[in-house]
Amino acid sequence: MDIEVFKFGGASVNSAQAVQNMVSIIKNRYDNGNQPLVIVVSAMGKTTNALEQLVPGVTRPDEQTIIYNNLVNYHLQIVRHLFPNPTHQVYNSLAQLFAQLKKEYTSPQSNYNYDYDRIVSFGELISTKIISAYLYECNVENQWIDIRRVIVTDNTHRCGQVDWQATLSNTSYLSNSLEYKKAIVTQGFIASAADGTTSTLGREGSDYSASILSYMLDAKCMTIWKDVPGFLNADPKYFADTVKIEQMPYDEAIEQAYYGASVIHPKTVKPLQNKQIPLYIKSFVNPLAEGSVVGPFSVIKPEIPLYIFKENQLLLSIMPKDFSFIAEDNLQRIFAILSQVGVSVNLMQNSALSFSICIDYNRLLLDRLIDLLSVDFKVRYNQNMQLLTVRHYNQKVIDSIVAGRKIYLEQRSRVTAQMVVNS
């Protein structure tokens, strides 16, 4: 079977009209069942952001109630447009999910990372129930699959590491499902931890989910449908004159994602590269346009600087209290604490007396991180920072994006320059 894997992000399903557009793209490729499809869907719109606020301890109970009610109303508004018949079974499915969500977010606070996964996972479960039901309404037979039955991770919550052996053992279940129905609808981002609880693959991890499934099924290709025309050399939020990359080597795409390119999740490309599966980035606004392709190319086309900006960063400087040097034993303790708290490092640099890291700001995790570090170290930090990364840079490019701002931390290699500046 020539299987294709489609991944649709939150922007592509953020309204009833967007869902209808998505289904038209699927029907165009589905070809009356002659083209087997695996459809991986994210939470609708900004649902994940809202669900993050429902994690116990993040907001007050009265604020949680407002957020919850807004989420219910947002999804019901979409569903009422797609399913005018109020007795349609999808309403009952959603009622059960929303009741379960309310039970979960009002339960006692446990561990932030564990709580995060059990709450935030509802976004994908809700969206895929809606998408699957609407595809049936449009005469596209499909099977809804709980991806937690397929993808297995370790017990690390909020950024689970895939257990490939356990996951690959579920390949026959996936293949049999695709034989039964030529289209599968499933969730991105979420998975099952080794202990059976819900885990997630890291923020924006739906791309990675689709990549895992592509690897498992030896897919012909994988396509990510975005609100941009392809892989751009910069985020349009920051640059008016962006350039679409026509083709990109696997290794370059891995580097881009590692440094924070928002187009794809950092772990997406490697499974595709291992089986030489091409990755297409296409526009759901203009689905017939060429888009971009990541594959076994030797060079990037066109060869121009590539810009990646990460906002809401925190620059943390860690120094021994006893005036000793930052040696291996100190670094070992620091990394053990970072791992314990669940903090990922975006940039690091050490000198004789200090170790500096740039991380995503998270108030709850920051308080715990500083408490643990402060036992043995002095800690100072700067908030509201921005991490700038430029691939294939030159000095003129660096000067233009820094724009006279103070550089707090800087690293350069032959290909990549990174700077931490005021936001």
Side-chain angles (χ1 to χ4, degrees):
M1 284 192 298
D2 281 338
I3 300 167
E4 288 195 45
V5 176
F6 283 2
K7 182 265 175 173
F8 290 91
S12 63
V13 290
N14 64 2
S15 67
Q17 294 74 22
V19 171
Q20 290 167 334
N21 179 64
M22 169 195 176
V23 171
S24 70
I25 292 172
I26 290 170
K27 291 189 74 172
N28 183 54
R29 292 293 187 96
Y30 187 62
D31 190 23
N32 295 320
N34 292 324
Q35 177 63 65
L37 279 178
V38 176
I39 304 156
V40 179
V41 186
S42 299
M44 291 178 156
K46 300 297 183 182
T47 296
T48 301
N49 292 347
L51 288 169
E52 287 176 336
Q53 300 304 305
L54 291 181
V55 176
V58 175
T59 54
R60 301 193 313 266
D62 58 324
E63 294 173 324
Q64 287 182 322
T65 300
I66 295 171
I67 293 167
Y68 172 78
N69 289 335
N70 287 341
L71 270 176
V72 172
N73 292 332
Y74 167 68
H75 286 92
L76 287 180
Q77 183 180 16
I78 293 173
V79 171
R80 290 188 188 112
H81 190 101
L82 298 174
F83 306 93
N85 180 2
T87 63
H88 195 285
Q89 57 84 23
V90 73
Y91 288 94
N92 184 51
S93 297
L94 293 184
Q96 292 178 23
L97 283 170
F98 281 122
Q100 189 179 349
L101 170 60
K102 188 171 187 178
K103 181 180 178 181
E104 291 287 347
Y105 84 76
T106 55
S107 63
Q109 184 176 351
S110 178
N111 170 276
Y112 173 78
N113 292 336
Y114 169 75
D115 290 340
Y116 180 97
D117 283 356
R118 66 184 175 87
I119 300 298
V120 175
S121 57
F122 278 90
E124 279 69 19
L125 296 173
I126 292 166
S127 67
T128 52
K129 283 290 186 181
I130 296 171
I131 298 302
S132 176
Y134 190 64
L135 281 168
Y136 259 107
E137 288 290 295
C138 299
N139 301 314
V140 178
E141 289 193 3
N142 66 91
Q143 183 171 357
W144 182 90
I145 283 182
D146 188 334
I147 199 63
R148 293 173 295 184
R149 171 69 178 78
V150 179
I151 298 178
V152 182
T153 71
D154 61 8
N155 289 328
T156 304
H157 288 282
R158 210 166 56 83
C159 193
Q161 303 300 307
V162 173
D163 182 334
W164 280 97
Q165 183 175 356
T167 299
L168 291 174
S169 70
N170 296 323
T171 301
S172 59
Y173 168 75
L174 199 60
S175 300
N176 292 339
S177 299
L178 206 53
E179 287 281 358
Y180 174 63
K181 299 287 187 184
K182 292 297 183 182
I184 287 174
V185 175
T186 194
Q187 308 79 38
F189 178 51
I190 69 176
S192 175
D195 61 6
T197 59
T198 298
S199 59
T200 59
L201 301 177
R203 202 63 159 84
E204 309 297 338
S206 293
D207 295 349
Y208 187 33
S209 304
S211 173
I212 294 166
L213 299 184
S214 297
Y215 182 93
M216 293 174 71
L217 294 168
D218 293 316
K220 181 177 75 172
C221 63
M222 172 179 153
T223 303
I224 298 176
W225 296 93
K226 305 282 290 184
D227 56 356
V228 290
F231 207 127
L232 303 179
N233 75 317
D235 192 324
K237 289 189 297 187
Y238 303 107
F239 288 83
D241 301 318
T242 56
V243 177
K244 180 172 73 72
I245 304 300
E246 296 173 15
Q247 69 175 43
M248 180 176 286
Y250 287 120
D251 287 347
E252 181 66 47
I254 290 171
E255 293 283 1
Q256 285 285 301
Y258 173 79
Y259 289 119
S262 60
V263 176
I264 51 177
H265 184 273
K267 297 179 181 177
T268 301
V269 180
K270 193 60 183 172
L272 303 177
Q273 182 184 30
N274 287 352
K275 287 198 174 180
Q276 298 290 283
I277 299 170
L279 168 63
Y280 294 94
I281 318 276
K282 293 176 71 72
S283 167
F284 61 75
V285 179
N286 186 11
L288 297 180
E290 283 293 320
S292 304
V293 59
V294 176
F297 308 112
S298 58
V299 295
I300 186 172
K301 289 185 179 179
E303 294 187 70
I304 55 174
L306 305 170
Y307 306 86
I308 304 158
F309 291 2
K310 287 180 75 72
E311 300 286 354
N312 200 24
Q313 297 294 290
L314 186 90
L315 182 61
L316 202 68
S317 293
I318 305 160
M319 295 146 286
K321 286 182 176 180
D322 59 1
F323 303 105
S324 63
F325 293 109
I326 288 287
E328 286 77 5
D329 57 340
N330 283 327
L331 290 174
Q332 188 175 25
R333 289 208 302 279
I334 292 169
F335 279 110
I337 292 171
L338 291 170
S339 177
Q340 179 183 344
V341 177
V343 170
S344 297
V345 177
N346 298 324
L347 183 66
M348 68 182 80
Q349 190 173 89
N350 69 288
S351 66
L353 299 175
S354 70
F355 180 66
S356 297
I357 56 174
C358 182
I359 61 176
D360 295 334
Y361 175 74
N362 181 305
R363 180 181 58 83
L364 292 180
L365 295 184
L366 175 63
D367 291 344
R368 186 171 176 225
L369 178 63
I370 290 178
D371 284 345
L372 291 173
L373 286 172
S374 296
V375 174
D376 294 313
F377 303 96
K378 293 186 293 182
V379 181
R380 293 186 300 194
Y381 62 88
N382 299 87
Q383 292 180 238
N384 300 315
M385 308 301 283
Q386 185 182 51
L387 175 60
L388 312 177
T389 303
V390 187
R391 296 273 295 166
H392 313 292
Y393 68 92
N394 56 52
Q395 191 57 46
K396 182 179 179 181
V397 165
I398 298 296
D399 293 341
S400 68
I401 64 168
V402 171
R405 289 178 288 176
K406 178 182 176 181
I407 298 176
Y408 287 77
L409 193 66
E410 181 176 12
Q411 286 185 8
R412 297 194 193 191
S413 68
R414 286 172 291 182
V415 178
T416 306
Q418 292 189 281
M419 295 138 292
V420 178
V421 298
N422 282 322
S423 184

